[in-house]
Amino acid sequence: MVLALAHDIASGHYRPSGFTVFAVTDPKLREIFAPAFADRLVQQWLVQHIEPWWNKRFIDDSYANRQGKGTQAAIGRLQHFMRQPGHRWYCQLDIRAFFPSIDRRILLQLRQTALPKLPWPASTRQQLDQVATAIIQQSPTEPPPRRSGDIDLLARVPPHKSLFGAPPGVGMPIGSLTSQFFANVYLNELDQFVKHTLKVRGYIRYVDDFVLLADAPQTLLVHKARIEQFLQERLRLQLHPTKTVLQRCSQGADFLGAIVHPHHRLTRQRAVRALKRRLHWFRALVFPHDTHHPMQQPSGSWQRWLANHQAIHAHGYRAAAAHAGHPQQLLRHLWARQHLALAQAHLRARTRPPQNLLPAGRPQLPPPQNPQGMAALNKMSARLRVAQTRFENVAPRKPPHNT
């Protein structure tokens, strides 16, 4: 498969295949278009070649889908802005149905402008151009994607958030690596406008959710009007009419799952409840017969997490094949690996660990479904036994003498 993909890219005949579409509800109802495995490989190749150049052109205060960024870093940056003099007010804005509204023709123009500047030979740039063009021009709904999961849930996705009703040439699928990357390329135009034309110092963006800070609400309202005009004229986007927040920084900002104040942050109860549900789910997978913590069905995103680990978890290719369709066995296998990692950390520190690596009462791993899985689990068990033997032979570290 890899050689066939390489031949298609080298000859300029690469064409992505169709998607698999399903709906998720965490954190809200939306449709996900999952590309085929071969297309994911090509997307990784493409992004690895073009992302370093683009990262140097992105502003530092763009925090989504970038190495070294993320939600916690964005929250910390917002707190930094809130503490600065002249930032007593903030205005939080959101783009309405961002991914289904991306104009792929505008995105092609942005990519075409950057192509001659990429630091690659002409032949490589030509291959990158052909692959990027094929991915951007691909309609997520043609050929018709394979529907998966809860079909009734998929039918309840609002029309303005669905790609099935989008105009031709409009909309990028949620669920692809290239969609996340090209979303930053698309909104980099907004970032540059806010920073260099409006000259707003207090500005931070995470995907389509962004915050501006200033000393007076009148200033923020002027910025909002100009941003709204820019989005409509340059990017064919609209601000969400009911998700604009204008208030003092001292009142806190509901941003990325936290209530952000200048000197502290509070985790939203919705995030806490979601964490508890997932912990119960993991416990039920590991201990299916525990009646004190009943199983709660997870959302589609966590089902995908489990499927991904069944397929690609490090050192788990054979075990994943053995445990396919048996999440209890897989989670116990991963748990055993976590104990081994903890054991190795203790050995490096030269400290005496507890006498028993595995918790008391832990159920035994059920037999795998094929000989390859048996070999993988036997190897893991042997490594755990060797690690525990080494623990027992490590002399305890003497306490320091008081002086």
Side-chain angles (χ1 to χ4, degrees):
M1 178 183 66
V2 175
L3 293 178
L5 288 174
H7 178 269
D8 290 343
I9 293 174
S11 61
H13 295 102
Y14 169 74
R15 292 292 181 273
S17 54
F19 291 90
T20 298
V21 61
F22 54 93
V24 298
T25 57
D26 185 13
K28 55 186 177 182
L29 180 61
R30 64 179 65 182
E31 61 185 14
I32 305 296
F33 285 79
F37 178 73
D39 294 327
R40 279 183 262 175
L41 294 179
V42 176
Q43 291 179 13
Q44 288 281 354
W45 173 82
L46 173 65
V47 172
Q48 288 177 4
H49 278 76
I50 64 179
E51 186 177 34
W53 185 89
W54 274 103
N55 262 331
K56 297 177 182 179
R57 275 75 186 169
F58 294 153
I59 66 171
D60 286 339
D61 292 321
S62 170
Y63 279 85
N65 307 310
R66 297 179 65 192
Q67 188 174 5
K69 303 290 184 178
T71 56
Q72 296 303 312
I75 291 172
R77 183 63 168 170
L78 179 58
Q79 287 183 299
H80 169 76
F81 282 140
M82 286 179 164
R83 292 192 293 264
Q84 288 184 338
H87 287 168
R88 295 186 302 163
W89 289 77
Y90 77 89
C91 181
Q92 186 173 358
L93 303 172
D94 185 270
I95 297 176
R96 183 177 186 269
F98 171 56
F99 279 95
S101 302
I102 293 178
D103 192 319
R104 299 200 298 272
R105 292 160 295 190
I106 297 176
L107 181 58
L108 279 172
Q109 295 173 2
L110 298 175
R111 180 203 55 76
Q112 191 65 35
T113 303
L115 180 64
K117 305 174 184 178
L118 295 177
W120 296 102
S123 58
T124 304
R125 291 201 305 268
Q126 185 177 2
Q127 295 170 1
L128 294 171
D129 175 58
Q130 190 274 324
V131 171
T133 302
I135 292 175
I136 294 175
Q137 288 182 338
Q138 180 191 20
S139 172
T141 58
E142 292 295 337
R146 184 175 68 89
R147 297 173 186 263
S148 179
D150 191 338
I151 304 301
D152 294 334
L153 187 64
L154 188 62
R156 293 202 298 268
V157 176
H160 69 280
K161 291 186 177 181
S162 175
L163 293 180
F164 288 99
V170 176
M172 292 287 289
I174 299 176
S176 297
L177 174 64
T178 48
S179 295
Q180 299 173 0
F181 172 74
F182 285 130
N184 277 335
V185 173
Y186 202 74
L187 287 185
N188 182 56
E189 297 295 297
L190 170 65
D191 298 339
Q192 302 298 333
F193 174 77
V194 172
K195 283 291 190 179
H196 299 296
T197 302
L198 300 183
K199 300 189 181 299
V200 178
R201 297 182 61 185
Y203 169 77
I204 185 170
R205 180 180 64 81
Y206 191 92
V207 194
D208 58 346
D209 192 0
F210 53 101
V211 180
L212 299 90
L213 299 96
D215 194 45
Q218 294 81 7
T219 303
L220 293 173
L221 289 175
V222 172
H223 292 335
K224 174 181 177 293
R226 296 195 61 184
I227 288 173
E228 195 166 17
Q229 180 182 5
F230 174 84
L231 288 174
Q232 176 62 39
E233 295 178 353
R234 180 70 180 92
L235 300 177
R236 301 292 187 266
L237 299 174
Q238 295 179 349
L239 293 178
H240 199 290
T242 63
K243 292 187 177 181
T244 297
V245 179
L246 178 65
Q247 61 183 15
R248 294 179 181 272
C249 292
S250 58
Q251 296 177 263
D254 186 351
F255 186 60
L256 301 181
I259 307 299
V260 185
H261 294 265
H263 298 282
H264 69 281
R265 67 184 74 173
L266 302 172
T267 302
R268 294 187 60 187
Q269 287 301 308
R270 183 181 70 182
V272 174
R273 290 192 296 268
L275 175 61
K276 290 181 178 179
R277 288 195 303 270
R278 291 161 186 168
L279 290 176
H280 283 305
W281 180 61
F282 277 110
R283 183 179 180 86
L285 288 173
V286 177
F287 302 107
H289 304 296
D290 186 354
T291 59
H292 298 288
H293 298 82
M295 178 69 166
Q296 298 185 25
Q297 289 299 326
S299 64
S301 60
W302 285 87
Q303 290 285 13
R304 295 198 313 278
W305 180 92
L306 183 60
N308 289 337
H309 278 69
Q310 286 176 323
I312 62 173
H313 192 276
H315 188 68
Y317 284 100
R318 291 177 294 176
H323 303 320
H326 299 276
Q328 298 92 341
Q329 299 175 25
L330 176 65
L331 261 293
R332 291 174 192 167
H333 174 71
L334 299 183
W335 192 13
R337 296 199 61 218
Q338 184 67 23
H339 278 284
L340 180 62
L342 181 62
Q344 293 171 338
H346 276 295
L347 280 175
R348 286 194 297 268
R350 302 291 295 176
T351 59
R352 177 175 288 278
Q355 293 300 316
N356 189 8
L357 287 177
L358 303 181
R362 174 176 174 268
Q364 297 296 318
L365 294 175
Q369 302 301 310
N370 59 47
Q372 289 184 338
M374 177 66 77
L377 290 182
N378 286 342
K379 184 177 180 180
M380 177 55 60
S381 300
R383 293 177 67 184
L384 284 172
R385 287 194 297 269
V386 170
Q388 188 164 354
T389 302
R390 294 179 64 187
F391 285 149
E392 296 172 353
N393 296 329
V394 173
R397 178 179 293 177
K398 296 181 179 180
H401 295 286
N402 294 328
T403 57

